[in-house]
């Protein structure tokens, strides 16, 4: 036996395998489909092997066991096979010579194949240092018609050695473990893995998320499970870095459409995945679904009329359930632009159009579709009035009479270069932040005003409420960017004011706060909802355009917003008796002083100090300094 260990056991095994001559493959009576039916609450056969390779300490076990837990919790059968564990059983008689490693990989590949054949997602983590052994493992699977997904856990030897969680590198350096991978035994990195994870630089959660995203793309992770995990999947519309130069050059050959700043903002919304699952600017079909039903029902490219066959039932056009979409995302063009894009029969001249902003191509729109822009209909439905003293109504009514729909590829990240781009995280970046912080619930508070202590109290109370069900609820503080009312406090000043509130730390603790703009695509589950957004007034009057309570009521019954929890907004006002912001108590209504956004701005403008306890003092300083500066500028301009 000792001799065998030294010479390697694999020779003997090879011989014994070859010795098994009079054997015939026996066929099962149960096939993969039936096994899948028994195993999976998600239906369909999903058996495959995900093979993690990398140095000892790279993160193979950590990632695969985290995946095993996540997949099992989602109702997907998964099993982690691990080098250390297998070497306590099936491979207990193998050492670490190249021949023993070869036999180790052969055996575990065969075991993995059986798990995968049964319908299990098999997570195999083995150093598997040699390319030829991994190739053999792949062949073992592919010969049986099973997917083999090689994941290179690419952590450098230096990082693995510095981690040295089992103390093996120290021993190997001291010469106590001969043939240790990376020290005196080779590791051949995969040349063409299905996926590489940068586990030396990213967090565990990010590595796990990357594998999950891959499994989702390969349809091993079903849509429903992915949604359960992190909300609706995010559809980003950027070209990849590798394609950027070629695609940018190709725009020179395309018809050009110049877009406005507002169009560019919508392009950003589309590109970053805020409008998931839209592929681009709405075509007529999606525009009608949105305007007339307030929902996205599918992503099919063509409209049909009664009696016409409704084709295009391709999986990429279907969505599992209707999604709320009450705002159209469209690209208006005028007669002249339309004229340049169509031939004499009215058909598009080119299959691709370049969208330009500020003298630069920013996106490619494919398979263009041009349809009429019924602006009055749009405005009346969306705003409940056609009064063009409302600035957005005016903007729409002044825009082109046609809409240009089509799939979009955005050439580069859209930046606004106003010093605030660092806060404009994409939904995927936000999800990663939340995952890093191990947030198990995310709640959002959107505002266009500075934060006073009543707001802060509401956010803190919401967190306390969520802590009854969750371990680490995080707040997404969501100041509105873009155009707001002319007399609003500008975004950069509000951001500084928000920072001052967070730095004070008494009401809002920065450890559970991340500020940025966001929507559900970023993984938000809980909203704090008050009155209708921004309390819009009838132009030229002091009356509300909508019933102020309707916003919350409508949202609470809106279709197509699954898994959204709404925490009611409780009105806070200044309690003059106790000298603090508190929830309004109708029984003591005379004790309360309501300080609206307008009143607050008025105080700051007039240099009036708000009552003690209304706002964090440093945050008030940010505001009053801004108004002081504004007044000085105005008087300078007046004087010359
Ligand atoms: N000489 C030597 N080289 C590498 N690793 C060693 C060695 N001796 C013991 N160990 C421990 O065994 C684990 C690796 O087993 P594997 O089955 O994955 O190795 S291999 O694929 O056959 O190369 C490995 O576990 P991980 O750290 O999880 O990779 C080590 O804990
Ligand atoms: N992105 C990451 N992915 C996986 N593990 C990570 C990551 N970042 C840090 N680690 C840490 O690295 C160590 C990896 O150990 P382990 O999973 O046992 O590696 P292996 O199975 O490859 O030997 C763990 O302590 C883990 O917490």
């Amino acid at each position: 036996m000792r001799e065998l260990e030294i010479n390697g056991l694999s020779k003997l095994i090879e011989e014994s395998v070859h010795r098994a001559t009079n054997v015939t493959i026996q066929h099962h009576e149960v096939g993969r489909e039936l096994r899948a039916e028994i195993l999976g609450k998600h239906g369909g056969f999903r058996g495959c092997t995900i093979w993690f390779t990398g140095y000892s300490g790279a993160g193979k076990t950590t990632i695969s066991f985290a995946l095993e837990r996540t997949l099992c919790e989602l109702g997907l059968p998964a099993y982690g096979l691990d080098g250390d564990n297998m070497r306590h059983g099936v491979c207990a008689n193998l050492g670490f010579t190249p021949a023993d490693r070869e036999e180790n990989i052969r055996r575990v590949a065969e075991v993995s194949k059986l798990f995968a054949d049964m319908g299990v997602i098999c997570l195999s983590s083995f150093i598997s240092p040699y390319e030829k052994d991994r190739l053999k493992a792949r062949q073992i699977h592919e010969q049986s018609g099973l997917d083999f997904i090689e994941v290179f856990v690419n952590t450098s030897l230096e990082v693995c050695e510095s981690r040295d969680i089992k103390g093996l590198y120290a021993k190997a350096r001291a010469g106590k473990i001969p043939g240790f991978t990376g020290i005196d035994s080779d590791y051949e990195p995969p040349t063409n893995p299905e996926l590489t994870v940068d586990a030396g630089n990213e967090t565990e959660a990010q590595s796990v998320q990357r594998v999950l995203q891959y499994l989702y793309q390969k349809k091993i992770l079903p849509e429903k499970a992915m949604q359960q995990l992190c909300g609706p999947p995010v559809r980003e519309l950027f070209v990849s870095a590798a394609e950027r130069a070629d695609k940018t050059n190709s725009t020179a050959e395309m018809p050009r459409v110049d877009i406005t700043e507002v169009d560019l903002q919508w392009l950003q919304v589309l590109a970053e995945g805020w409008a998931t699952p839209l592929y681009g600017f709405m075509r007529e079909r999606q525009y009608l679904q949105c305007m007339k039903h307030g929902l996205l029902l599918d992503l099919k490219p063509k409209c049909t009329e009664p009696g016409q066959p409704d084709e295009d039932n391709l999986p990429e056009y279907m969505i599992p359930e209707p999604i709320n979409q009450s705002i159209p995302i469209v690209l208006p063009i005028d007669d002249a632009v339309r004229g340049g894009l169509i031939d004499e029969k009215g058909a598009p001249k080119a299959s691709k159009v370049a969208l330009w902003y500020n003298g630069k191509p920013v996106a490619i729109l494919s398979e263009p579709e041009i349809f009429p822009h019924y602006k009055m209909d749009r405005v009346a439905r969306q705003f409940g009035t056609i009064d063009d003293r409302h600035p957005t109504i005016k903007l729409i009514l002044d825009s082109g009479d046609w809409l240009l729909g089509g799939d979009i590829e955005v050439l580069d990240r859209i930046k606004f270069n106003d010093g605030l781009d660092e806060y404009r995280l994409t939904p995927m970046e936000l999800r990663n932040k939340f995952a890093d912080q191990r947030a198990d619930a995310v709640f959002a508070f959107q505002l266009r005003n500075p934060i006073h202590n009543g707001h802060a109290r509401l956010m803190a109370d919401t967190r306390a409420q969520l802590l009854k069900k969750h371990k680490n609820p995080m707040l997404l503080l969501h100041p509105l960017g873009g155009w707001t009312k002319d007399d609003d406090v500008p975004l950069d000043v509000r951001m500084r004011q928000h920072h001052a509130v967070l730095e004070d730390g008494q009401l809002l603790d920065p450890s559970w706060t991340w500020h940025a703009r966001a929507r559900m695509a970023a993984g938000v589950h809980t909203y704090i909802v008050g009155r209708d957004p921004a309390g819009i007034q009838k132009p030229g009057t002091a009356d509300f355009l909508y019933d102020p309570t309707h916003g919350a009521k409508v949202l609470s019954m809106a279709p197509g917003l699954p898994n959204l929890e709404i925490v009611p907004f409780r009105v806070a006002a200044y309690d003059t008796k106790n000298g603090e912001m508190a929830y309004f108590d109708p029984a003591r209504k005379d004790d309360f002083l309501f300080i609206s956004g307008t009143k607050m701005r008025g105080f700051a403008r007039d240099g009036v100090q708000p009552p003690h306890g209304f706002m964090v003092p440093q945050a008030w300083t940010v505001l009053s300094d801004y108004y002081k500066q504004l007044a000085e500028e105005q008087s300078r301009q007046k004087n010359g």
Side-chain angles (χ1 to χ4, degrees), residues 346-364:
K349 275 197 243 174
S351 64
K352 289 188 188 297
V353 173
L355 303 185
W356 287 60
Y357 179 74
N358 229 357
K360 264 184 22 196
V362 287
I364 296 171

Side-chain angles (χ1 to χ4, degrees), residues 8-23:
L9 196 66
S10 66
K11 235 186 184 145
L12 177 80
I13 306 276
E14 283 277 304
E15 280 166 17
S16 71
V17 168
H18 287 297
R19 242 186 272 147
T21 45
N22 296 310
V23 289

Side-chain angles (χ1 to χ4, degrees), residues 25-37 39 44-49 77 109-122 140-141 143-147:
I25 295 279
Q26 302 295 307
H27 295 285
H28 294 255
E29 287 178 25
V30 171
R32 286 178 186 162
E33 272 170 33
L34 181 55
R35 290 201 191 100
E37 254 177 55
L39 272 184
F45 179 81
R46 300 175 194 283
C48 64
T49 290
E110 289 288 354
V111 175
S112 306
K113 180 189 85 177
L114 295 179
F115 273 87
D117 188 41
M118 210 181 136
V120 173
I121 300 173
C122 184
I140 287 172
H141 284 78
Q143 277 160 7
S144 293
L146 292 162
D147 281 343

